[in-house]
């Protein structure tokens, strides 16, 4: 595909789900599917993706730092997002690169909205203010029982501040994701992440390929 064609069709793909569901692992698969079609891919993540965003990420995740209250947490996430959109996401899309982002605003609805109980319309107001019309073109949801995901995450590394929340919080987050996917099914690819990595990858491959071919 020529750079000119990429410019016209560059898309914004996000990957979502609870702790340890396999987002990082499956980002690699998505990247290789896109690159095998000759597409240039910009890989990024939230919170993070810029120097400022990574600083905010550290403050958000480190359990040894002063924990932000829910509203401060929400605003830190949107501050990181404003910087990320302006300096990474929009320039990449404008240059014809496909953007593949590990978490985005659906995570804010799930964690800060459903998880922490912040009003969803308040999140929608910030979304509009910070993002304008920018929304993901497709979102992959890796859906998994939070207990299984936490067990996987625990085996891999020290738990961060979010991962120390109680089980009810993670159940609300999962419910939040599933209700968003149900409300807007054309945008979401929902994959059962309880299956083996091979099965998850194969389902994701098939569904993403269908979306890429038929959009
Ligand atoms: N957050 C928020 O609150 N609001 C927001 O708006 C945003 C974020 C954007 C950081 O996210 C935190 O930010 C997040 C919410 C909050 N909460 N936390 N924590 P993060 O994405 O960096 O953190 P994470 O969800 O904990 O990601 P993770 O631990 O890196 O998990 P993952 O990327 O989904 O999983 P993984 O590293 O690919 O896999 C975990 C392990 O499981 C690994 O050993 C794999 O080999 C294994 N694995 C993967 N798939 C399978 C299958 N299918 N079977 C068996 N084992 C598997």
């Amino acid at each position: 595909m020529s750079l000119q064609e990429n410019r016209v069709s560059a898309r914004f793909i996000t990957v979502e789900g609870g702790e340890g569901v396999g987002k990082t692992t499956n980002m690699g698969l998505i990247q290789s599917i896109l690159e095998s079609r000759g597409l240039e891919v910009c890989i990024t993540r939230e919170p993070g993706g810029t120097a400022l965003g990574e600083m905010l990420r550290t403050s958000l995740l480190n359990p040894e730092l002063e924990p932000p209250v829910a509203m401060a947490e929400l605003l830190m996430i949107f501050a990181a997002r404003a910087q990320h959109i302006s300096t990474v996401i929009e320039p990449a899309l404008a240059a014809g690169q496909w953007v593949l982002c590990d978490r985005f605003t659906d995570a804010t609805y799930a964690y800060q909205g459903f998880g922490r109980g912040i009003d969803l319309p308040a999140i929608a107001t910030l979304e509009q203010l910070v993002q304008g019309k920018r929304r993901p073109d497709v979102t992959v949801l890796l859906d998994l029982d939070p207990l299984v995901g936490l067990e996987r995450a625990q085996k891999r590394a020290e738990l961060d501040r979010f991962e120390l929340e109680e089980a009810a919080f993670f159940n609300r987050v999962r419910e939040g994701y599933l209700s968003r996917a149900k409300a807007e099914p054309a945008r979401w690819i929902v994959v059962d992440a309880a299956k083996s990595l091979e099965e998850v990858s194969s389902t994701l491959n098939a569904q993403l390929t269908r979306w890429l071919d038929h959009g």
Side-chain angles (χ1 to χ4, degrees), residues 86-165:
S86 293
T87 66
V88 175
I89 296 175
E90 292 299 347
L93 290 169
Q97 293 177 0
W98 285 50
V99 175
L100 175 55
C101 190
D102 189 340
R103 295 191 186 278
F104 194 62
T105 308
D106 291 300
T108 314
Y109 281 100
Y111 283 82
Q112 282 63 50
F114 285 78
R116 302 263 189 248
I118 290 182
D119 267 4
L120 301 183
I123 297 177
T125 300
L126 286 169
E127 180 181 37
Q128 190 55 38
L129 183 69
V130 168
Q131 296 171 218
K133 289 197 176 119
R134 178 59 63 200
R135 300 287 183 276
D137 294 298
V138 71
T139 299
V140 173
L141 173 60
L142 296 165
D143 177 55
L144 181 64
D145 179 336
L147 289 180
V148 179
L150 276 172
E151 221 169 88
R152 285 186 193 166
Q154 212 153 18
K155 274 193 208 146
R156 203 212 40 199
E158 296 269 300
L159 296 184
D160 65 37
R161 188 174 63 85
F162 284 91
E163 290 163 344
L164 297 170
E165 288 289 337

Side-chain angles (χ1 to χ4, degrees), residues 129-211:
L129 183 69
V130 168
Q131 296 171 218
K133 289 197 176 119
R134 178 59 63 200
R135 300 287 183 276
D137 294 298
V138 71
T139 299
V140 173
L141 173 60
L142 296 165
D143 177 55
L144 181 64
D145 179 336
L147 289 180
V148 179
L150 276 172
E151 221 169 88
R152 285 186 193 166
Q154 212 153 18
K155 274 193 208 146
R156 203 212 40 199
E158 296 269 300
L159 296 184
D160 65 37
R161 188 174 63 85
F162 284 91
E163 290 163 344
L164 297 170
E165 288 289 337
E166 84 281 18
F169 175 84
F170 298 114
N171 289 330
R172 290 196 299 276
V173 168
R174 184 186 193 191
E175 184 201 320
Y177 274 130
L178 288 171
S179 74
R180 288 184 65 73
K182 199 170 165 198
E184 208 189 340
R187 175 167 68 90
W188 290 78
I189 292 174
V190 181
V191 179
D192 178 0
K195 301 264 169 65
S196 71
L197 189 50
E198 292 69 31
E199 286 172 287
V200 170
S201 301
S202 146
T203 307
L204 177 54
N205 190 355
Q207 296 209 38
L208 190 65
T209 300
R210 194 173 316 132
W211 178 76

